[in-house]
Amino acid sequence: MKKINLRVGTASGIGSLPHRHVDAAVGLALASCPDLPAAPSLPRRDRREGMISQGAWGLRGIAVGENGRLEVVGDTDPADPFDPATGAGIEGPAFTGLRAFLGAVRHRTTPIKLQLTGPITLGLALVEAGVPAERAFATAGAAVRERATAMLEEATRAAPLASKVVFVDEPGLVALSQPSFPIATDAAIDLVSGALAAIEPFAVTGLHCCGDTDWRLALAAGPQIVSMPTDPSIVDHAGALGVHLDRGGWIAWGAIPTSGPLGAEPGMLWRTLSETWCELVQRGCDALRLREQALVTPECGLSGHDPVQAESILALTVELAERVRRQSFGVRLAVGA
């Protein structure tokens, strides 16, 4: 397991950006969050860079159209989940932004953040495309592990001196507790755990979900960093978050909303985050760990905004992260740490 070697209050992005020009997107990713720049995906430039399209890209038996839609093709089932080669890599138009980002960080000696579609989210998409559930999720698990390996091999070749933080993106976790979920909960968590295990020898592992889920189950998959929206419901999971923090885990707080209007000042965002932390402390979380093991990010990706809005949201992210850093020093002084 790689050590988390990040500054207190590090700011980062979630991944997707609205740009149609690759160089502009990579430039913003590197300039806006210099402590931990996030490799961009660019679904407005090419819909095949959307999260689902990226997850399914290259899988045998699955066609990804220029519109980003998945289609089961041929007379055979999709990739055999027990075949070590599912076809998942980072070649082709689905990963243009990622490859450009890796080319731009080739001399970097400080951390970078990468992200890939998780097996629950991909499995649900394959089911929707018409793949039987058992095969869909087995294929998704194998594909994510293979793609994670290919991504890290290329990242290591391109930027050997930069440490890596790799997030598994799992919006599908919000459906986990629904009665209609197509596989058992334990099997779903095992899939996520397997994806994280493929990353763990080479990078710090993260798990991102931008919606409401059972964070106790999500944390059971074993991420070193969990990325979640700053929502009042989070306090209901104080016990699991406290254990995660006590074990040295970090939390990436999605403290900048990505839907609805935003003000030019981070005061309200700071109050929301501070109030969440106060409630978590009242329920048993360690006040210092909450601040010292914290990243700050937008709630979700920014492809739904325009480039000017995306830049403003990332600027707010950095400003809020600076407040986290300053307050953590104050709390440390107050407790005599």
Side-chain angles (χ1 to χ4, degrees), residues 16-323:
S16 68
L17 291 175
H19 298 70
R20 299 180 186 275
H21 298 285
V22 178
D23 290 346
V26 171
L28 177 62
L30 292 171
S32 61
C33 299
D35 286 346
L36 187 62
S41 59
L42 307 174
R44 282 199 183 180
R45 178 185 175 276
D46 190 318
R47 291 191 179 184
R48 291 167 292 188
E49 287 209 53
M51 183 181 61
I52 298 301
S53 305
Q54 283 189 333
W57 182 257
L59 296 187
R60 289 195 297 275
I62 297 292
V64 180
E66 290 188 5
N67 59 5
R69 294 179 181 174
L70 312 189
E71 181 183 356
V72 180
V73 295
D75 298 326
T76 60
D77 286 327
D80 182 346
F82 304 106
D83 185 333
T86 65
I90 61 167
E91 302 82 15
F95 294 95
T96 300
L98 170 62
R99 294 195 305 273
F101 175 83
L102 292 177
V105 298
R106 59 189 180 278
H107 300 306
R108 189 177 173 90
T109 58
T110 47
I112 57 174
K113 177 178 177 286
L114 311 175
Q115 189 161 313
L116 75 163
T117 309
I120 293 177
T121 302
L122 177 57
L124 288 170
L126 293 176
V127 169
E128 186 175 350
V131 182
E134 183 177 358
R135 178 170 288 273
F137 284 95
T139 299
V144 173
R145 293 191 299 272
E146 184 178 347
R147 200 175 318 272
T149 299
M151 175 186 288
L152 282 162
E153 285 177 351
E154 179 59 22
T156 300
R157 185 199 66 76
L161 300 180
S163 59
K164 285 80 179 173
V165 179
V166 180
F167 275 76
V168 174
D169 192 359
E170 280 289 20
L173 280 172
V174 300
L176 195 57
S177 59
Q178 296 178 1
S180 60
F181 195 80
I183 61 173
T185 299
D186 288 350
I189 296 303
D190 284 346
L191 284 173
V192 179
S193 182
L196 295 171
I199 297 165
E200 191 175 79
F202 312 103
V204 171
T205 61
L207 178 61
H208 170 71
C209 179
C210 55
D212 186 22
T213 189
D214 187 334
W215 292 103
R216 177 184 58 84
L217 292 175
L219 288 166
Q224 292 174 269
I225 305 173
V226 61
S227 173
M228 57 178 61
T230 305
D231 184 90
S233 64
I234 292 298
V235 300
D236 295 332
H237 304 278
L241 292 175
V243 171
H244 174 70
L245 291 166
D246 290 344
R247 290 176 176 170
W250 284 46
I251 300 174
W253 296 95
I256 318 298
T258 51
S259 60
L262 281 175
E265 298 294 331
M268 184 177 294
L269 303 175
W270 173 246
R271 284 194 296 275
T272 299
L273 182 58
S274 297
E275 288 168 2
T276 301
W277 284 350
C278 287
E279 288 220 29
L280 287 170
V281 170
Q282 290 173 10
R283 298 192 185 202
C285 290
D286 183 276
L288 187 57
R289 288 187 183 277
L290 275 169
R291 291 157 176 82
E292 293 209 327
Q293 293 160 218
L295 291 83
V296 180
T297 71
E299 190 173 72
C300 294
L302 301 178
S303 61
H305 297 72
D306 64 38
V308 173
Q309 290 171 327
E311 187 171 353
S312 296
I313 289 171
L314 290 172
L316 279 172
T317 302
V318 171
E319 190 167 350
L320 196 63
E322 288 291 341
R323 291 198 182 196

